[in-house]
Amino acid sequence: MGYTAIQHIVKETKRRVSMTDLPYEEEYRGQLKHLGYKEKDIVKEAFLRLDWNLGSARILCLLQESNILTASELILSLDSTERIQQVMNDLLETEYSLLCHIIKFAYQDNGLSQTLMKVLQDSFRALIADLKDDPNVIPRNYLQPIRMQLLPNENEWLKNEHLRLVLTTEEPFDLDEAIGRQEQWREEMHKVTESILGGLIVELIDNKAQVIGLLREYVQKSHPFSIKYALYLLNAMSKDTKESEDKLLKEFHKDVFRWVVDTGLMSQLQLLLLFARETCSSNCITMGTYSAWYKQTIGAMTYSVKKDQFIRTMEMLTALLPLETNLDVLDVHSTIAISAPAKCNEYVLNYKQLCRAHIAQLKPPDCIVDLDD
């Protein structure tokens, strides 16, 4: 190809970078594919000198198709975090084949892949944080179209990265605060169900064993995480489960209960109650109503725990009472019978009395019945 022809292609590349939806794309694509090695290098260098613009992502896609420049090469050539983020922001919104290329390259085990892995993690982290502020900050859920282009192990890595970021891209809420805000968060979650963030969460819970495995890791190791989004994930998972997945959820809650009685940690008890309430409120088929779960787990715990563990658990439940503000939950706690070991009834009676007193404090004055009338 002559000098005039290659200069025409370079000029056309510059024009297309600055605009979107230009005509004669097939003609331009054909010209790129028929370039020789030296001519491809000229177009490549010309593109790399251009500022990233409206049509850059589309042109890069055509360049990658023609073996002129890949998305990974471009990212690795950039010299500033701001420029890298600008490119990645566009790739998360369009031209998903380029995003897939970077993911595939980053998943390989070499020196350059480590750099790309960090770029991906930083970009995903920034986007998840933005989605939490605005659930529709991007026009499409990119996980949906790219999963068919990735290998199973690449998909697993991608979802695991996103799950970790969903659970860790904000300051973890204090557990005391979470007990009082659970209903509010549930309402907020219903509002984002049809959003891009909601769709992304649906994609992430496709492998429920992966989600439960991560929650199990965080809970067991007392790793700080977002209680709010852990509850979002549990709620979404519980809505539509198969029999095998029901079993996973039940076993997870049973394990958390065992950690409660074994460790005697208040944080574990708070997580147990939060998780159980969310799962039961989402789908009472999985573990029954909260009342049924509480009766089976707390009401009958004397048959599965030692005496000292029973006492410690009752003491923790009692200490937790001032944080409880949900009258329906308190009604369950005050009415469900709790079988006690020998000489431990006083712990149950004390707890029930305090439950009823707390209910009386929370109820409006006109709802309290005067027993002396």
Side-chain angles (χ1 to χ4, degrees), residues 257-275:
F257 173 70
R258 287 308 321 173
W259 298 333
V260 170
V261 296
D262 288 345
T263 64
L265 292 175
M266 174 66 84
S267 60
Q268 300 280 22
L269 176 62
Q270 289 172 299
L271 287 173
L272 172 68
L273 296 176
L274 287 164
F275 290 163

Side-chain angles (χ1 to χ4, degrees), residues 269-301:
L269 176 62
Q270 289 172 299
L271 287 173
L272 172 68
L273 296 176
L274 287 164
F275 290 163
R277 291 169 192 177
E278 202 61 42
T279 303
C280 292
S281 73
S282 176
N283 182 356
C284 63
I285 296 175
T286 301
M287 296 196 311
T289 62
Y290 179 67
S291 177
W293 173 86
Y294 186 85
K295 180 178 181 179
Q296 182 180 28
T297 306
I298 303 298
M301 67 174 165

Side-chain angles (χ1 to χ4, degrees), residues 100-113:
C100 286
H101 179 274
I102 296 174
I103 292 170
K104 286 177 174 293
F105 198 98
Y107 192 77
Q108 298 173 15
D109 187 16
N110 60 61
L112 294 177
S113 68

Side-chain angles (χ1 to χ4, degrees), residues 128 131 138 140-150 152 154-163 166 192-193 195-211 232-233 236-237 240 245:
I128 295 297
L131 280 167
I138 54 175
R140 290 183 64 195
N141 171 12
Y142 57 90
L143 288 181
Q144 192 172 43
I146 70 173
R147 68 177 185 174
M148 300 303 295
Q149 302 180 50
L150 298 175
E154 294 165 346
N155 258 315
E156 183 179 358
W157 170 81
L158 182 65
K159 288 186 177 182
N160 197 56
E161 281 296 312
H162 278 70
L163 282 170
V166 164
V192 304
T193 299
S195 67
I196 300 300
L197 175 59
L200 186 142
I201 285 176
V202 169
E203 292 292 325
L204 294 182
I205 62 170
D206 181 56
N207 183 348
K208 294 181 175 63
Q210 186 179 25
V211 183
Y232 274 24
L233 292 169
M237 280 194 298
D240 182 23
E245 294 166 342

Side-chain angles (χ1 to χ4, degrees), residues 13 23 35 48 69 72 97 104 106 135 155 161 168 180 198 210 220 265 276 293 297 313 342 352:
T13 300
L35 293 175
L48 289 174
L69 176 68
S72 297
S97 62
K104 286 177 174 293
N155 258 315
E161 281 296 312
T168 58
Q210 186 179 25
Q220 194 168 17
L265 292 175
W293 173 86
T297 306
T313 303
K352 293 294 186 71

